[in-house]
Amino acid sequence: MKAEIKFRLATEKDLDSIVAMLADDMLGSKRERYENPLPKSYIKAFNAITSDPNNELVVACDDNEVIGVQQITFTPHITHQGGWRATIEGVRTLASVRRKGVGTELIKWAIQRAEERGCHLVQLTTDKKRPDALRFYEKLGFKVTHEGLKLKL
């Protein structure tokens, strides 16, 4: 890995690398479909994300290699006096760079981006089956303040 990680908005050419990273872990291997060609659902989702000014799919790159990904969604709320918040989702790094600071840089970049967008809060969730991820986010200053609920449809 080179000395400086570059961040940029993802392009459709990055989609193969992104899906490969999403599929390359204990949970992603059960819910993603990394195959060639990629299922059209990924392209459809990519187009929806990139056409929405309140969504950013961001990749971390080492030279031209995509080594990390995250999605940031900016949402206005009536609460907090009409404040905006940023939600970070789908954070993954290439297996070969895990535990080398790439995830930390991704999250720091997302926090800075949220500040640039005027957000008063950055939020994220992590699966309860990922205790290491929870510790990782707590080391970056995130606090467990709420119980999250999901309803699978």
mmCIF file with all atom_site columns, all heavy atoms in Angstrom, residues 8-16 18-19 40-52 55 57-59 71:
data_model
loop_
_atom_site.group_PDB
_atom_site.id
_atom_site.type_symbol
_atom_site.label_atom_id
_atom_site.label_alt_id
_atom_site.label_comp_id
_atom_site.label_asym_id
_atom_site.label_entity_id
_atom_site.label_seq_id
_atom_site.pdbx_PDB_ins_code
_atom_site.Cartn_x
_atom_site.Cartn_y
_atom_site.Cartn_z
_atom_site.occupancy
_atom_site.B_iso_or_equiv
_atom_site.pdbx_formal_charge
_atom_site.auth_seq_id
_atom_site.auth_comp_id
_atom_site.auth_asym_id
_atom_site.auth_atom_id
_atom_site.pdbx_PDB_model_num
ATOM 1   N N   . ARG A 1 8  ? -12.541 9.407  -3.648  1.00 0.00 ? 8  ARG A N   1
ATOM 2   C CA  . ARG A 1 8  ? -13.302 10.001 -4.754  1.00 0.00 ? 8  ARG A CA  1
ATOM 3   C C   . ARG A 1 8  ? -14.659 9.331  -4.835  1.00 0.00 ? 8  ARG A C   1
ATOM 4   O O   . ARG A 1 8  ? -14.874 8.257  -4.247  1.00 0.00 ? 8  ARG A O   1
ATOM 5   C CB  . ARG A 1 8  ? -12.551 9.864  -6.076  1.00 0.00 ? 8  ARG A CB  1
ATOM 6   C CG  . ARG A 1 8  ? -12.322 8.435  -6.506  1.00 0.00 ? 8  ARG A CG  1
ATOM 7   C CD  . ARG A 1 8  ? -11.734 8.352  -7.916  1.00 0.00 ? 8  ARG A CD  1
ATOM 8   N NE  . ARG A 1 8  ? -11.334 7.015  -8.263  1.00 0.00 ? 8  ARG A NE  1
ATOM 9   C CZ  . ARG A 1 8  ? -12.155 6.020  -8.594  1.00 0.00 ? 8  ARG A CZ  1
ATOM 10  N NH1 . ARG A 1 8  ? -13.468 6.209  -8.627  1.00 0.00 ? 8  ARG A NH1 1
ATOM 11  N NH2 . ARG A 1 8  ? -11.695 4.814  -8.915  1.00 0.00 ? 8  ARG A NH2 1
ATOM 12  N N   . LEU A 1 9  ? -15.558 9.972  -5.569  1.00 0.00 ? 9  LEU A N   1
ATOM 13  C CA  . LEU A 1 9  ? -16.847 9.343  -5.817  1.00 0.00 ? 9  LEU A CA  1
ATOM 14  C C   . LEU A 1 9  ? -16.633 8.146  -6.739  1.00 0.00 ? 9  LEU A C   1
ATOM 15  O O   . LEU A 1 9  ? -15.813 8.186  -7.658  1.00 0.00 ? 9  LEU A O   1
ATOM 16  C CB  . LEU A 1 9  ? -17.813 10.339 -6.464  1.00 0.00 ? 9  LEU A CB  1
ATOM 17  C CG  . LEU A 1 9  ? -18.232 11.525 -5.600  1.00 0.00 ? 9  LEU A CG  1
ATOM 18  C CD1 . LEU A 1 9  ? -19.136 12.466 -6.388  1.00 0.00 ? 9  LEU A CD1 1
ATOM 19  C CD2 . LEU A 1 9  ? -18.918 11.066 -4.324  1.00 0.00 ? 9  LEU A CD2 1
ATOM 20  N N   . ALA A 1 10 ? -17.356 7.092  -6.474  1.00 0.00 ? 10 ALA A N   1
ATOM 21  C CA  . ALA A 1 10 ? -17.245 5.872  -7.276  1.00 0.00 ? 10 ALA A CA  1
ATOM 22  C C   . ALA A 1 10 ? -17.811 6.102  -8.674  1.00 0.00 ? 10 ALA A C   1
ATOM 23  O O   . ALA A 1 10 ? -18.731 6.902  -8.863  1.00 0.00 ? 10 ALA A O   1
ATOM 24  C CB  . ALA A 1 10 ? -18.000 4.736  -6.603  1.00 0.00 ? 10 ALA A CB  1
ATOM 25  N N   . THR A 1 11 ? -17.260 5.390  -9.625  1.00 0.00 ? 11 THR A N   1
ATOM 26  C CA  . THR A 1 11 ? -17.794 5.362  -10.979 1.00 0.00 ? 11 THR A CA  1
ATOM 27  C C   . THR A 1 11 ? -18.306 3.947  -11.245 1.00 0.00 ? 11 THR A C   1
ATOM 28  O O   . THR A 1 11 ? -17.994 3.003  -10.498 1.00 0.00 ? 11 THR A O   1
ATOM 29  C CB  . THR A 1 11 ? -16.721 5.715  -12.029 1.00 0.00 ? 11 THR A CB  1
ATOM 30  O OG1 . THR A 1 11 ? -15.739 4.672  -12.049 1.00 0.00 ? 11 THR A OG1 1
ATOM 31  C CG2 . THR A 1 11 ? -16.060 7.058  -11.713 1.00 0.00 ? 11 THR A CG2 1
ATOM 32  N N   . GLU A 1 12 ? -19.055 3.804  -12.319 1.00 0.00 ? 12 GLU A N   1
ATOM 33  C CA  . GLU A 1 12 ? -19.583 2.473  -12.637 1.00 0.00 ? 12 GLU A CA  1
ATOM 34  C C   . GLU A 1 12 ? -18.457 1.463  -12.867 1.00 0.00 ? 12 GLU A C   1
ATOM 35  O O   . GLU A 1 12 ? -18.617 0.277  -12.596 1.00 0.00 ? 12 GLU A O   1
ATOM 36  C CB  . GLU A 1 12 ? -20.512 2.540  -13.855 1.00 0.00 ? 12 GLU A CB  1
ATOM 37  C CG  . GLU A 1 12 ? -21.337 1.287  -14.005 1.00 0.00 ? 12 GLU A CG  1
ATOM 38  C CD  . GLU A 1 12 ? -22.440 1.397  -15.056 1.00 0.00 ? 12 GLU A CD  1
ATOM 39  O OE1 . GLU A 1 12 ? -23.015 2.482  -15.223 1.00 0.00 ? 12 GLU A OE1 1
ATOM 40  O OE2 . GLU A 1 12 ? -22.714 0.365  -15.695 1.00 0.00 ? 12 GLU A OE2 1
ATOM 41  N N   . LYS A 1 13 ? -17.294 1.927  -13.303 1.00 0.00 ? 13 LYS A N   1
ATOM 42  C CA  . LYS A 1 13 ? -16.149 1.027  -13.494 1.00 0.00 ? 13 LYS A CA  1
ATOM 43  C C   . LYS A 1 13 ? -15.661 0.427  -12.181 1.00 0.00 ? 13 LYS A C   1
ATOM 44  O O   . LYS A 1 13 ? -15.009 -0.607 -12.174 1.00 0.00 ? 13 LYS A O   1
ATOM 45  C CB  . LYS A 1 13 ? -14.994 1.781  -14.165 1.00 0.00 ? 13 LYS A CB  1
ATOM 46  C CG  . LYS A 1 13 ? -15.255 2.134  -15.602 1.00 0.00 ? 13 LYS A CG  1
ATOM 47  C CD  . LYS A 1 13 ? -14.086 2.890  -16.190 1.00 0.00 ? 13 LYS A CD  1
ATOM 48  C CE  . LYS A 1 13 ? -14.397 3.323  -17.600 1.00 0.00 ? 13 LYS A CE  1
ATOM 49  N NZ  . LYS A 1 13 ? -13.314 4.131  -18.187 1.00 0.00 ? 13 LYS A NZ  1
ATOM 50  N N   . ASP A 1 14 ? -15.975 1.088  -11.064 1.00 0.00 ? 14 ASP A N   1
ATOM 51  C CA  . ASP A 1 14 ? -15.566 0.595  -9.743  1.00 0.00 ? 14 ASP A CA  1
ATOM 52  C C   . ASP A 1 14 ? -16.505 -0.468 -9.193  1.00 0.00 ? 14 ASP A C   1
ATOM 53  O O   . ASP A 1 14 ? -16.188 -1.118 -8.191  1.00 0.00 ? 14 ASP A O   1
ATOM 54  C CB  . ASP A 1 14 ? -15.532 1.750  -8.728  1.00 0.00 ? 14 ASP A CB  1
ATOM 55  C CG  . ASP A 1 14 ? -14.577 2.852  -9.123  1.00 0.00 ? 14 ASP A CG  1
ATOM 56  O OD1 . ASP A 1 14 ? -13.472 2.541  -9.608  1.00 0.00 ? 14 ASP A OD1 1
ATOM 57  O OD2 . ASP A 1 14 ? -14.938 4.031  -8.930  1.00 0.00 ? 14 ASP A OD2 1
ATOM 58  N N   . LEU A 1 15 ? -17.653 -0.636 -9.809  1.00 0.00 ? 15 LEU A N   1
ATOM 59  C CA  . LEU A 1 15 ? -18.709 -1.470 -9.244  1.00 0.00 ? 15 LEU A CA  1
ATOM 60  C C   . LEU A 1 15 ? -18.270 -2.913 -8.999  1.00 0.00 ? 15 LEU A C   1
ATOM 61  O O   . LEU A 1 15 ? -18.597 -3.504 -7.963  1.00 0.00 ? 15 LEU A O   1
ATOM 62  C CB  . LEU A 1 15 ? -19.949 -1.416 -10.136 1.00 0.00 ? 15 LEU A CB  1
ATOM 63  C CG  . LEU A 1 15 ? -21.285 -1.698 -9.502  1.00 0.00 ? 15 LEU A CG  1
ATOM 64  C CD1 . LEU A 1 15 ? -21.494 -0.970 -8.193  1.00 0.00 ? 15 LEU A CD1 1
ATOM 65  C CD2 . LEU A 1 15 ? -22.404 -1.363 -10.480 1.00 0.00 ? 15 LEU A CD2 1
ATOM 66  N N   . ASP A 1 16 ? -17.501 -3.477 -9.893  1.00 0.00 ? 16 ASP A N   1
ATOM 67  C CA  . ASP A 1 16 ? -17.031 -4.847 -9.719  1.00 0.00 ? 16 ASP A CA  1
ATOM 68  C C   . ASP A 1 16 ? -16.195 -4.967 -8.440  1.00 0.00 ? 16 ASP A C   1
ATOM 69  O O   . ASP A 1 16 ? -16.410 -5.872 -7.628  1.00 0.00 ? 16 ASP A O   1
ATOM 70  C CB  . ASP A 1 16 ? -16.208 -5.288 -10.937 1.00 0.00 ? 16 ASP A CB  1
ATOM 71  C CG  . ASP A 1 16 ? -15.861 -6.758 -10.890 1.00 0.00 ? 16 ASP A CG  1
ATOM 72  O OD1 . ASP A 1 16 ? -16.769 -7.589 -11.082 1.00 0.00 ? 16 ASP A OD1 1
ATOM 73  O OD2 . ASP A 1 16 ? -14.676 -7.067 -10.636 1.00 0.00 ? 16 ASP A OD2 1
ATOM 74  N N   . ILE A 1 18 ? -16.240 -2.962 -5.860  1.00 0.00 ? 18 ILE A N   1
ATOM 75  C CA  . ILE A 1 18 ? -17.096 -2.665 -4.709  1.00 0.00 ? 18 ILE A CA  1
ATOM 76  C C   . ILE A 1 18 ? -17.881 -3.905 -4.293  1.00 0.00 ? 18 ILE A C   1
ATOM 77  O O   . ILE A 1 18 ? -17.891 -4.287 -3.123  1.00 0.00 ? 18 ILE A O   1
ATOM 78  C CB  . ILE A 1 18 ? -18.046 -1.485 -5.027  1.00 0.00 ? 18 ILE A CB  1
ATOM 79  C CG1 . ILE A 1 18 ? -17.244 -0.191 -5.146  1.00 0.00 ? 18 ILE A CG1 1
ATOM 80  C CG2 . ILE A 1 18 ? -19.144 -1.369 -3.970  1.00 0.00 ? 18 ILE A CG2 1
ATOM 81  C CD1 . ILE A 1 18 ? -18.032 0.967  -5.741  1.00 0.00 ? 18 ILE A CD1 1
ATOM 82  N N   . VAL A 1 19 ? -18.522 -4.548 -5.243  1.00 0.00 ? 19 VAL A N   1
ATOM 83  C CA  . VAL A 1 19 ? -19.326 -5.736 -4.925  1.00 0.00 ? 19 VAL A CA  1
ATOM 84  C C   . VAL A 1 19 ? -18.433 -6.860 -4.408  1.00 0.00 ? 19 VAL A C   1
ATOM 85  O O   . VAL A 1 19 ? -18.803 -7.581 -3.475  1.00 0.00 ? 19 VAL A O   1
ATOM 86  C CB  . VAL A 1 19 ? -20.185 -6.181 -6.127  1.00 0.00 ? 19 VAL A CB  1
ATOM 87  C CG1 . VAL A 1 19 ? -20.916 -7.484 -5.828  1.00 0.00 ? 19 VAL A CG1 1
ATOM 88  C CG2 . VAL A 1 19 ? -21.180 -5.081 -6.503  1.00 0.00 ? 19 VAL A CG2 1
ATOM 89  N N   . LYS A 1 40 ? -27.932 -7.088 -12.585 1.00 0.00 ? 40 LYS A N   1
ATOM 90  C CA  . LYS A 1 40 ? -28.360 -5.732 -12.957 1.00 0.00 ? 40 LYS A CA  1
ATOM 91  C C   . LYS A 1 40 ? -28.831 -4.919 -11.755 1.00 0.00 ? 40 LYS A C   1
ATOM 92  O O   . LYS A 1 40 ? -28.832 -3.701 -11.794 1.00 0.00 ? 40 LYS A O   1
ATOM 93  C CB  . LYS A 1 40 ? -29.451 -5.806 -14.016 1.00 0.00 ? 40 LYS A CB  1
ATOM 94  C CG  . LYS A 1 40 ? -28.925 -6.316 -15.337 1.00 0.00 ? 40 LYS A CG  1
ATOM 95  C CD  . LYS A 1 40 ? -29.971 -6.296 -16.410 1.00 0.00 ? 40 LYS A CD  1
ATOM 96  C CE  . LYS A 1 40 ? -29.442 -7.087 -17.551 1.00 0.00 ? 40 LYS A CE  1
ATOM 97  N NZ  . LYS A 1 40 ? -29.403 -6.614 -18.795 1.00 0.00 ? 40 LYS A NZ  1
ATOM 98  N N   . SER A 1 41 ? -29.229 -5.588 -10.678 1.00 0.00 ? 41 SER A N   1
ATOM 99  C CA  . SER A 1 41 ? -29.687 -4.869 -9.488  1.00 0.00 ? 41 SER A CA  1
ATOM 100 C C   . SER A 1 41 ? -28.598 -3.961 -8.930  1.00 0.00 ? 41 SER A C   1
ATOM 101 O O   . SER A 1 41 ? -28.896 -2.884 -8.399  1.00 0.00 ? 41 SER A O   1
ATOM 102 C CB  . SER A 1 41 ? -30.150 -5.854 -8.418  1.00 0.00 ? 41 SER A CB  1
ATOM 103 O OG  . SER A 1 41 ? -29.100 -6.744 -8.072  1.00 0.00 ? 41 SER A OG  1
ATOM 104 N N   . TYR A 1 42 ? -27.335 -4.348 -9.054  1.00 0.00 ? 42 TYR A N   1
ATOM 105 C CA  . TYR A 1 42 ? -26.240 -3.504 -8.574  1.00 0.00 ? 42 TYR A CA  1
ATOM 106 C C   . TYR A 1 42 ? -26.104 -2.243 -9.424  1.00 0.00 ? 42 TYR A C   1
ATOM 107 O O   . TYR A 1 42 ? -25.879 -1.154 -8.904  1.00 0.00 ? 42 TYR A O   1
ATOM 108 C CB  . TYR A 1 42 ? -24.916 -4.270 -8.555  1.00 0.00 ? 42 TYR A CB  1
ATOM 109 C CG  . TYR A 1 42 ? -24.846 -5.330 -7.489  1.00 0.00 ? 42 TYR A CG  1
ATOM 110 C CD1 . TYR A 1 42 ? -24.862 -6.671 -7.822  1.00 0.00 ? 42 TYR A CD1 1
ATOM 111 C CD2 . TYR A 1 42 ? -24.761 -4.987 -6.140  1.00 0.00 ? 42 TYR A CD2 1
ATOM 112 C CE1 . TYR A 1 42 ? -24.783 -7.656 -6.848  1.00 0.00 ? 42 TYR A CE1 1
ATOM 113 C CE2 . TYR A 1 42 ? -24.686 -5.962 -5.159  1.00 0.00 ? 42 TYR A CE2 1
ATOM 114 C CZ  . TYR A 1 42 ? -24.700 -7.290 -5.517  1.00 0.00 ? 42 TYR A CZ  1
ATOM 115 O OH  . TYR A 1 42 ? -24.637 -8.263 -4.545  1.00 0.00 ? 42 TYR A OH  1
ATOM 116 N N   . ILE A 1 43 ? -26.240 -2.387 -10.714 1.00 0.00 ? 43 ILE A N   1
ATOM 117 C CA  . ILE A 1 43 ? -26.144 -1.233 -11.615 1.00 0.00 ? 43 ILE A CA  1
ATOM 118 C C   . ILE A 1 43 ? -27.320 -0.294 -11.381 1.00 0.00 ? 43 ILE A C   1
ATOM 119 O O   . ILE A 1 43 ? -27.155 0.932  -11.319 1.00 0.00 ? 43 ILE A O   1
ATOM 120 C CB  . ILE A 1 43 ? -26.060 -1.692 -13.089 1.00 0.00 ? 43 ILE A CB  1
ATOM 121 C CG1 . ILE A 1 43 ? -24.770 -2.496 -13.290 1.00 0.00 ? 43 ILE A CG1 1
ATOM 122 C CG2 . ILE A 1 43 ? -26.127 -0.502 -14.040 1.00 0.00 ? 43 ILE A CG2 1
ATOM 123 C CD1 . ILE A 1 43 ? -24.711 -3.298 -14.556 1.00 0.00 ? 43 ILE A CD1 1
ATOM 124 N N   . LYS A 1 44 ? -28.490 -0.857 -11.195 1.00 0.00 ? 44 LYS A N   1
ATOM 125 C CA  . LYS A 1 44 ? -29.678 -0.045 -10.916 1.00 0.00 ? 44 LYS A CA  1
ATOM 126 C C   . LYS A 1 44 ? -29.504 0.740  -9.603  1.00 0.00 ? 44 LYS A C   1
ATOM 127 O O   . LYS A 1 44 ? -29.789 1.938  -9.542  1.00 0.00 ? 44 LYS A O   1
ATOM 128 C CB  . LYS A 1 44 ? -30.910 -0.952 -10.841 1.00 0.00 ? 44 LYS A CB  1
ATOM 129 C CG  . LYS A 1 44 ? -32.205 -0.213 -10.692 1.00 0.00 ? 44 LYS A CG  1
ATOM 130 C CD  . LYS A 1 44 ? -33.380 -1.189 -10.718 1.00 0.00 ? 44 LYS A CD  1
ATOM 131 C CE  . LYS A 1 44 ? -34.690 -0.463 -10.509 1.00 0.00 ? 44 LYS A CE  1
ATOM 132 N NZ  . LYS A 1 44 ? -35.841 -1.353 -10.521 1.00 0.00 ? 44 LYS A NZ  1
ATOM 133 N N   . ALA A 1 45 ? -29.012 0.078  -8.572  1.00 0.00 ? 45 ALA A N   1
ATOM 134 C CA  . ALA A 1 45 ? -28.773 0.746  -7.286  1.00 0.00 ? 45 ALA A CA  1
ATOM 135 C C   . ALA A 1 45 ? -27.695 1.815  -7.430  1.00 0.00 ? 45 ALA A C   1
ATOM 136 O O   . ALA A 1 45 ? -27.841 2.936  -6.907  1.00 0.00 ? 45 ALA A O   1
ATOM 137 C CB  . ALA A 1 45 ? -28.371 -0.267 -6.225  1.00 0.00 ? 45 ALA A CB  1
ATOM 138 N N   . PHE A 1 46 ? -26.627 1.500  -8.146  1.00 0.00 ? 46 PHE A N   1
ATOM 139 C CA  . PHE A 1 46 ? -25.553 2.471  -8.369  1.00 0.00 ? 46 PHE A CA  1
ATOM 140 C C   . PHE A 1 46 ? -26.107 3.727  -9.043  1.00 0.00 ? 46 PHE A C   1
ATOM 141 O O   . PHE A 1 46 ? -25.811 4.847  -8.626  1.00 0.00 ? 46 PHE A O   1
ATOM 142 C CB  . PHE A 1 46 ? -24.444 1.849  -9.224  1.00 0.00 ? 46 PHE A CB  1
ATOM 143 C CG  . PHE A 1 46 ? -23.366 2.824  -9.578  1.00 0.00 ? 46 PHE A CG  1
ATOM 144 C CD1 . PHE A 1 46 ? -22.330 3.073  -8.689  1.00 0.00 ? 46 PHE A CD1 1
ATOM 145 C CD2 . PHE A 1 46 ? -23.391 3.515  -10.783 1.00 0.00 ? 46 PHE A CD2 1
ATOM 146 C CE1 . PHE A 1 46 ? -21.335 3.996  -8.999  1.00 0.00 ? 46 PHE A CE1 1
ATOM 147 C CE2 . PHE A 1 46 ? -22.406 4.428  -11.102 1.00 0.00 ? 46 PHE A CE2 1
ATOM 148 C CZ  . PHE A 1 46 ? -21.371 4.669  -10.214 1.00 0.00 ? 46 PHE A CZ  1
ATOM 149 N N   . ASN A 1 47 ? -26.919 3.536  -10.068 1.00 0.00 ? 47 ASN A N   1
ATOM 150 C CA  . ASN A 1 47 ? -27.497 4.689  -10.776 1.00 0.00 ? 47 ASN A CA  1
ATOM 151 C C   . ASN A 1 47 ? -28.413 5.509  -9.873  1.00 0.00 ? 47 ASN A C   1
ATOM 152 O O   . ASN A 1 47 ? -28.424 6.739  -9.946  1.00 0.00 ? 47 ASN A O   1
ATOM 153 C CB  . ASN A 1 47 ? -28.221 4.229  -12.038 1.00 0.00 ? 47 ASN A CB  1
ATOM 154 C CG  . ASN A 1 47 ? -27.262 3.745  -13.106 1.00 0.00 ? 47 ASN A CG  1
ATOM 155 O OD1 . ASN A 1 47 ? -26.110 4.173  -13.164 1.00 0.00 ? 47 ASN A OD1 1
ATOM 156 N ND2 . ASN A 1 47 ? -27.710 2.824  -13.926 1.00 0.00 ? 47 ASN A ND2 1
ATOM 157 N N   . ALA A 1 48 ? -29.178 4.850  -9.021  1.00 0.00 ? 48 ALA A N   1
ATOM 158 C CA  . ALA A 1 48 ? -30.050 5.572  -8.091  1.00 0.00 ? 48 ALA A CA  1
ATOM 159 C C   . ALA A 1 48 ? -29.221 6.383  -7.094  1.00 0.00 ? 48 ALA A C   1
ATOM 160 O O   . ALA A 1 48 ? -29.542 7.536  -6.790  1.00 0.00 ? 48 ALA A O   1
ATOM 161 C CB  . ALA A 1 48 ? -30.969 4.594  -7.356  1.00 0.00 ? 48 ALA A CB  1
ATOM 162 N N   . ILE A 1 49 ? -28.150 5.791  -6.590  1.00 0.00 ? 49 ILE A N   1
ATOM 163 C CA  . ILE A 1 49 ? -27.286 6.486  -5.632  1.00 0.00 ? 49 ILE A CA  1
ATOM 164 C C   . ILE A 1 49 ? -26.616 7.688  -6.284  1.00 0.00 ? 49 ILE A C   1
ATOM 165 O O   . ILE A 1 49 ? -26.642 8.799  -5.737  1.00 0.00 ? 49 ILE A O   1
ATOM 166 C CB  . ILE A 1 49 ? -26.231 5.518  -5.057  1.00 0.00 ? 49 ILE A CB  1
ATOM 167 C CG1 . ILE A 1 49 ? -26.902 4.451  -4.188  1.00 0.00 ? 49 ILE A CG1 1
ATOM 168 C CG2 . ILE A 1 49 ? -25.150 6.269  -4.262  1.00 0.00 ? 49 ILE A CG2 1
ATOM 169 C CD1 . ILE A 1 49 ? -26.017 3.248  -3.899  1.00 0.00 ? 49 ILE A CD1 1
ATOM 170 N N   . THR A 1 50 ? -26.033 7.480  -7.444  1.00 0.00 ? 50 THR A N   1
ATOM 171 C CA  . THR A 1 50 ? -25.263 8.564  -8.070  1.00 0.00 ? 50 THR A CA  1
ATOM 172 C C   . THR A 1 50 ? -26.143 9.668  -8.633  1.00 0.00 ? 50 THR A C   1
ATOM 173 O O   . THR A 1 50 ? -25.663 10.775 -8.850  1.00 0.00 ? 50 THR A O   1
ATOM 174 C CB  . THR A 1 50 ? -24.322 8.021  -9.161  1.00 0.00 ? 50 THR A CB  1
ATOM 175 O OG1 . THR A 1 50 ? -25.080 7.319  -10.146 1.00 0.00 ? 50 THR A OG1 1
ATOM 176 C CG2 . THR A 1 50 ? -23.263 7.106  -8.549  1.00 0.00 ? 50 THR A CG2 1
ATOM 177 N N   . SER A 1 51 ? -27.419 9.404  -8.846  1.00 0.00 ? 51 SER A N   1
ATOM 178 C CA  . SER A 1 51 ? -28.308 10.458 -9.338  1.00 0.00 ? 51 SER A CA  1
ATOM 179 C C   . SER A 1 51 ? -28.949 11.256 -8.199  1.00 0.00 ? 51 SER A C   1
ATOM 180 O O   . SER A 1 51 ? -29.619 12.247 -8.448  1.00 0.00 ? 51 SER A O   1
ATOM 181 C CB  . SER A 1 51 ? -29.396 9.864  -10.238 1.00 0.00 ? 51 SER A CB  1
ATOM 182 O OG  . SER A 1 51 ? -30.276 9.064  -9.473  1.00 0.00 ? 51 SER A OG  1
ATOM 183 N N   . ASP A 1 52 ? -28.721 10.854 -6.959  1.00 0.00 ? 52 ASP A N   1
ATOM 184 C CA  . ASP A 1 52 ? -29.305 11.518 -5.794  1.00 0.00 ? 52 ASP A CA  1
ATOM 185 C C   . ASP A 1 52 ? -28.241 12.407 -5.141  1.00 0.00 ? 52 ASP A C   1
ATOM 186 O O   . ASP A 1 52 ? -27.231 11.902 -4.649  1.00 0.00 ? 52 ASP A O   1
ATOM 187 C CB  . ASP A 1 52 ? -29.790 10.458 -4.800  1.00 0.00 ? 52 ASP A CB  1
ATOM 188 C CG  . ASP A 1 52 ? -30.432 11.035 -3.559  1.00 0.00 ? 52 ASP A CG  1
ATOM 189 O OD1 . ASP A 1 52 ? -30.282 12.240 -3.290  1.00 0.00 ? 52 ASP A OD1 1
ATOM 190 O OD2 . ASP A 1 52 ? -31.079 10.268 -2.832  1.00 0.00 ? 52 ASP A OD2 1
ATOM 191 N N   . ASN A 1 55 ? -26.801 11.404 -1.669  1.00 0.00 ? 55 ASN A N   1
ATOM 192 C CA  . ASN A 1 55 ? -26.114 10.124 -1.505  1.00 0.00 ? 55 ASN A CA  1
ATOM 193 C C   . ASN A 1 55 ? -24.763 10.202 -2.200  1.00 0.00 ? 55 ASN A C   1
ATOM 194 O O   . ASN A 1 55 ? -24.659 10.740 -3.310  1.00 0.00 ? 55 ASN A O   1
ATOM 195 C CB  . ASN A 1 55 ? -26.919 8.984  -2.144  1.00 0.00 ? 55 ASN A CB  1
ATOM 196 C CG  . ASN A 1 55 ? -27.876 8.366  -1.180  1.00 0.00 ? 55 ASN A CG  1
ATOM 197 O OD1 . ASN A 1 55 ? -27.469 7.667  -0.258  1.00 0.00 ? 55 ASN A OD1 1
ATOM 198 N ND2 . ASN A 1 55 ? -29.152 8.621  -1.373  1.00 0.00 ? 55 ASN A ND2 1
ATOM 199 N N   . LEU A 1 57 ? -21.450 7.554  -2.969  1.00 0.00 ? 57 LEU A N   1
ATOM 200 C CA  . LEU A 1 57 ? -20.749 6.281  -2.894  1.00 0.00 ? 57 LEU A CA  1
ATOM 201 C C   . LEU A 1 57 ? -19.278 6.626  -3.099  1.00 0.00 ? 57 LEU A C   1
ATOM 202 O O   . LEU A 1 57 ? -18.882 7.091  -4.170  1.00 0.00 ? 57 LEU A O   1
ATOM 203 C CB  . LEU A 1 57 ? -21.253 5.310  -3.960  1.00 0.00 ? 57 LEU A CB  1
ATOM 204 C CG  . LEU A 1 57 ? -20.736 3.890  -3.882  1.00 0.00 ? 57 LEU A CG  1
ATOM 205 C CD1 . LEU A 1 57 ? -21.135 3.229  -2.556  1.00 0.00 ? 57 LEU A CD1 1
ATOM 206 C CD2 . LEU A 1 57 ? -21.253 3.066  -5.052  1.00 0.00 ? 57 LEU A CD2 1
ATOM 207 N N   . VAL A 1 58 ? -18.481 6.429  -2.056  1.00 0.00 ? 58 VAL A N   1
ATOM 208 C CA  . VAL A 1 58 ? -17.103 6.899  -2.034  1.00 0.00 ? 58 VAL A CA  1
ATOM 209 C C   . VAL A 1 58 ? -16.154 5.712  -2.004  1.00 0.00 ? 58 VAL A C   1
ATOM 210 O O   . VAL A 1 58 ? -16.373 4.758  -1.245  1.00 0.00 ? 58 VAL A O   1
ATOM 211 C CB  . VAL A 1 58 ? -16.872 7.782  -0.785  1.00 0.00 ? 58 VAL A CB  1
ATOM 212 C CG1 . VAL A 1 58 ? -15.426 8.240  -0.692  1.00 0.00 ? 58 VAL A CG1 1
ATOM 213 C CG2 . VAL A 1 58 ? -17.823 8.967  -0.794  1.00 0.00 ? 58 VAL A CG2 1
ATOM 214 N N   . VAL A 1 59 ? -15.113 5.784  -2.826  1.00 0.00 ? 59 VAL A N   1
ATOM 215 C CA  . VAL A 1 59 ? -14.090 4.750  -2.804  1.00 0.00 ? 59 VAL A CA  1
ATOM 216 C C   . VAL A 1 59 ? -12.771 5.342  -2.313  1.00 0.00 ? 59 VAL A C   1
ATOM 217 O O   . VAL A 1 59 ? -12.480 6.513  -2.526  1.00 0.00 ? 59 VAL A O   1
ATOM 218 C CB  . VAL A 1 59 ? -13.889 4.077  -4.183  1.00 0.00 ? 59 VAL A CB  1
ATOM 219 C CG1 . VAL A 1 59 ? -15.096 3.233  -4.552  1.00 0.00 ? 59 VAL A CG1 1
ATOM 220 C CG2 . VAL A 1 59 ? -13.584 5.086  -5.272  1.00 0.00 ? 59 VAL A CG2 1
ATOM 221 N N   . GLN A 1 71 ? -20.843 4.242  1.696   1.00 0.00 ? 71 GLN A N   1
ATOM 222 C CA  . GLN A 1 71 ? -21.925 5.088  1.205   1.00 0.00 ? 71 GLN A CA  1
ATOM 223 C C   . GLN A 1 71 ? -22.297 6.060  2.313   1.00 0.00 ? 71 GLN A C   1
ATOM 224 O O   . GLN A 1 71 ? -22.421 5.675  3.473   1.00 0.00 ? 71 GLN A O   1
ATOM 225 C CB  . GLN A 1 71 ? -23.147 4.255  0.813   1.00 0.00 ? 71 GLN A CB  1
ATOM 226 C CG  . GLN A 1 71 ? -24.276 5.115  0.259   1.00 0.00 ? 71 GLN A CG  1
ATOM 227 C CD  . GLN A 1 71 ? -25.446 4.284  -0.236  1.00 0.00 ? 71 GLN A CD  1
ATOM 228 O OE1 . GLN A 1 71 ? -25.304 3.095  -0.512  1.00 0.00 ? 71 GLN A OE1 1
ATOM 229 N NE2 . GLN A 1 71 ? -26.593 4.913  -0.342  1.00 0.00 ? 71 GLN A NE2 1
#
